[in-house]
Amino acid sequence: MRNLIKTFRASRAALAMIRDANEPDRVFDLIEALYASSDAAQKAVERMSRDPELARVLRERPRLGRIDLEALGRLPKGTLGRTFVEHLRESNLDPNLLRVLEAPDAASYVKAHLFETHDLWHVVTGFPTTSEGEMGLQAFYFAQNGSRVSMGVFVAGLCFTFLNNFELCEVAMPQVVRGWLLGRRARRLFGTDWKTLLDRPLEEVRATFGLELHKVDTFLREFERTRPSAVTVPA
């Protein structure tokens, strides 16, 4: 019975996101429901524990915690922290509403860490907080972590686009490709102690992780520029 209730909640959250993927809370609700309805977090722990560096992260569990918006806003222009504040303000996101969860064990830490750092990942990867930007970020997540939760959010976003705004596919799919390429090329972001990086220049942080946004974006623009305008099917 409990599994049935969890499945129902996950289905309801997925349908809510399919109806309105542009609402940020829909994404978080679906992520939370998917974690609750499956053993995704525990499987992630088992996979990460085989990597010495990630095993260390799961033991130490660095946290971002609550955001001091005023303090970060006083950082120099172009730093990660200052850009993060600008991102929150431009997206009309209240940092006090960011979900800071308890993490008494490794499995709960996986979910808590990803929840509270979600918008930092938006900043360092350059994905906007739109439905297509969220799909791109979920592709990045999946490329880095192979999480079924990321795939679930991506599929829900794809259904939203298909049912409600099919024309958006022309914008969304390049973002998905961009997320996959960036995620496969970059160092793993999971487990980063972001508090130690907030006062560093954003471009320096991106370089540290091998986030070559310019190279990937240039490649995608060149690909779009040179692709055939129509596909000729051989007789």
Side-chain angles (χ1 to χ4, degrees), residues 13-55:
L15 289 173
M17 183 174 168
I18 290 170
R19 285 195 297 269
D20 185 8
N22 289 312
E23 172 57 49
D25 278 348
R26 298 283 188 258
V27 177
F28 284 113
D29 290 343
L30 178 55
I31 292 172
E32 193 164 30
L34 288 171
Y35 272 119
S37 66
S38 70
D39 56 353
Q42 187 56 46
K43 286 185 179 297
V45 168
E46 293 170 1
R47 185 172 63 252
M48 292 175 184
S49 296
R50 295 192 287 269
D51 182 299
E53 180 61 24
L54 289 177

Side-chain angles (χ1 to χ4, degrees), residues 96-177:
N96 295 317
L97 299 180
L98 297 179
R99 304 184 186 190
V100 179
L101 309 176
E102 295 295 325
D105 53 51
S108 58
Y109 170 73
V110 170
K111 180 173 73 172
H113 178 68
L114 290 173
F115 265 58
E116 68 189 17
T117 62
H118 180 82
D119 280 283
L120 270 171
W121 287 49
H122 268 289
V123 171
V124 296
T125 59
F127 286 108
T129 54
T130 57
S131 57
E132 64 270 21
E134 193 61 52
M135 289 172 65
L137 183 59
Q138 294 302 324
F140 181 91
Y141 273 128
F142 188 75
Q144 290 230 315
N145 305 320
S147 168
R148 66 178 65 186
V149 172
S150 299
M151 180 56 70
V153 176
F154 169 75
V155 170
L158 196 62
C159 289
F160 165 79
T161 304
F162 177 76
L163 294 173
N164 300 293
N165 195 354
F166 187 75
E167 294 75 15
L168 195 64
C169 287
E170 286 291 324
V171 178
M173 295 315 295
Q175 292 291 299
V176 171
V177 175

Side-chain angles (χ1 to χ4, degrees), residues 60-109:
E60 297 178 358
R61 300 172 198 166
R63 299 293 301 270
L64 178 64
R66 292 294 178 186
I67 304 299
D68 186 339
L69 201 66
E70 296 303 319
L72 294 183
R74 291 191 294 270
L75 290 173
K77 187 78 172 175
T79 57
L80 173 60
R82 175 71 173 272
T83 309
F84 182 41
V85 169
E86 292 168 353
H87 161 81
L88 293 175
R89 287 172 173 164
E90 290 169 3
S91 304
N92 294 317
L93 296 174
D94 183 352
N96 295 317
L97 299 180
L98 297 179
R99 304 184 186 190
V100 179
L101 309 176
E102 295 295 325
D105 53 51
S108 58
Y109 170 73

